Amino acid sequence: MSTPTPSGPVPPAQGSPEHLVFITGRMAKARLEKVAATLPPERYAWSIADAGVKVAALMTEEIIRRRVTIPEGATRIVLPGRCRANPEALAAHFGLPVERGPDEIVDLPAYLGLAGRQVDLSRHDLRIFSEIVDASKMTPEQILAKGLDLARRGADVIDLGGLPDTDFPHLEGCVRLLKGAGLKVSVDSFSLDELTRGARAGADYLLSLNEQTLDLAFETDAVPVLVPVRPDDLPSLDRAIERMEKAGRPYMADPILEPIHFGFVESITRYHETRRRWPGIEMMMGTGNLTELTEADSLGVTALLVGMCSELAIRNVLIVQVSNHTRRTVEEHDAARRVMFAARADSALPKGYGRSLLALHDKRPYVQTPDEIAMQAAEVKDPNYRIAVAEDGIHVFNRDVHAIGTDAMAFFPDLQRTGDLASDGAHAFYLGGELTKAETAWRLGKRYVQDEALAWGAAADAEVEDTTAFKKAGHTKHSGPSAAETAARDATPVEAGAASPETTGPDRTPAADAVSETPPDADARIVCGKLVPADEA
């Protein structure tokens, strides 16, 4: 962020509320004022700088520099989340910090930290061991590729799993190959011979030793993970711990998590009892017996187990990713460890720390009320379809129609009567896809944003995009207006017909009064719903 320069606006006196300037467009102005009015006045003064364009997402750096005036006393400028301007370039121009705010106006209070905390998910204290369960059947090249992929996803240690009655002649070579790639390595085997070979090849950890095989721990520098001789034999684990403690050697203890209906609850009590007896030792929990052996969405199971680890100061987990329903278990554990660390640091419940642990449902799925959508629809003067989801269902509207329903296919008669979809297959295809996505969001209680992928938390990769550049037109861009119509439209500046820019605040002209000044839709550049630059539309 750039610091204020002498040519920039004068900051307020020390002790005064921070003065925020929200830059937006005409369509969002009334809603933004409504939310801004809820900000505590002792903490925030605010102004809304209307850039004079209708759609805030279409504002560019040039438009903002040319049309926005920052009021005296401003301390920080907040752009809409979907605005494609470069905050650093604008900070240099205005001489004030400029940042990109949330995508949705309703999320503004949480973005400003008014939920009681600033969310920082950059930290954690849980080490993830990710097991390659069939390593003995894979080539060294395959193991290296798998290990690098697991590390990219969030694994800290690559665990080479040995299989009973299966030779692993290339074990040493695989350990060295992974180590040469900069990865931490553990060897996991029931075979004492394989554990010995892995340790001699340079493995960092050995899984697992008990009091009967513990001598190996004194023959290598690899850190052993200690387990009981049998899961229900906790005293045997105590004896192994005592021996390592007397020797002053590093180790971890794993009382062994068992599957549901096969000792799960009892195994949880063993973790608690081990921590009670040995309050300062390093411990491990193998979560695979729950995530793999329970046919339930693994994200919630993982969150619960990592929460237990957080309470019991267990700082290592061994995970496996074999079943199809656990294909994201590395990412899920990585997300859960960050949320639990942040919540524990705040002495708080694991609530309000982002959406990474929410896949099927959102805590706040609807960003507009039906009445707010109706007001927006009444302002639309062009044939482009907008789609929104509220508690009462899916809303589809343009200048000719505002239809509400819960079945994507049921919208066809209304759209066929009011549009040119019969002759525009690409547009019809686009609307069908968006309406189906909107129906999925409404049925699950997820947040829907037109032209954006649904967010699935840690259960799926989020789309990575350049937040300073406009979206490119999609495969349906060839469909729509004729070449002459497109050329004429693209010759019109984005601000054509826009009212003069203005700045409002609590004591200035209410934004609701300014909505009636909404300019014509010549500023829009929408191709099958996507906001794109004029030269690509």
Side-chain angles (χ1 to χ4, degrees), residues 26 50-54 67 495-502 514 517-520:
R26 294 280 176 179
D50 178 0
V53 299
K54 188 169 185 179
R67 297 178 63 85
E495 306 127 289
S500 299
E502 60 182 357
E517 302 172 19
T518 301

Side-chain angles (χ1 to χ4, degrees), residues 299-317:
L299 183 53
V301 177
T302 295
L304 180 61
L305 292 177
V306 174
M308 291 181 181
C309 289
S310 183
E311 281 203 4
L312 294 173
I314 297 172
R315 300 195 297 177
N316 303 273
V317 288

Side-chain angles (χ1 to χ4, degrees), residues 190-322:
F190 292 112
S191 167
L192 192 60
D193 174 66
E194 287 183 348
L195 291 175
T196 302
R197 289 166 51 208
R200 290 174 178 169
D204 300 283
Y205 305 92
L206 297 179
L207 284 69
S208 301
L209 301 179
N210 57 44
E211 66 173 344
Q212 299 173 355
T213 60
L214 194 55
D215 287 346
L216 178 58
F218 298 90
E219 301 172 7
T220 174
D221 292 330
V223 176
V225 176
L226 310 182
V227 297
V229 174
R230 300 185 316 276
D232 62 349
D233 186 5
L234 197 57
S236 70
L237 178 60
D238 286 332
R239 291 189 291 268
I241 291 173
E242 288 172 352
R243 186 176 173 190
M244 296 301 291
E245 285 287 317
K246 289 179 180 178
R249 308 267 302 199
Y251 66 94
M252 302 178 199
D254 183 356
I256 302 179
L257 186 70
E258 296 192 274
I260 294 172
H261 297 151
F262 290 87
F264 166 63
V265 173
E266 183 63 29
S267 68
I268 291 295
T269 65
R270 288 197 297 269
Y271 281 93
H272 182 271
E273 180 62 16
T274 299
R275 175 53 75 208
R276 187 189 67 80
R277 296 184 192 182
W278 305 95
I281 68 171
E282 288 290 333
M283 293 180 65
M284 171 180 278
M285 176 185 287
T287 60
N289 276 347
L290 261 290
T291 58
E292 289 282 331
L293 303 181
T294 306
E295 288 193 359
D297 290 328
S298 58
L299 183 53
V301 177
T302 295
L304 180 61
L305 292 177
V306 174
M308 291 181 181
C309 289
S310 183
E311 281 203 4
L312 294 173
I314 297 172
R315 300 195 297 177
N316 303 273
V317 288
L318 173 66
I319 70 174
V320 291
Q321 189 167 299
V322 178

Side-chain angles (χ1 to χ4, degrees), residues 420-432 476 478-480 528:
D420 58 352
L421 300 185
S423 60
D424 191 347
H427 198 190
F429 183 86
Y430 161 78
L431 285 175
T476 58
H478 61 278
S479 178
C528 289

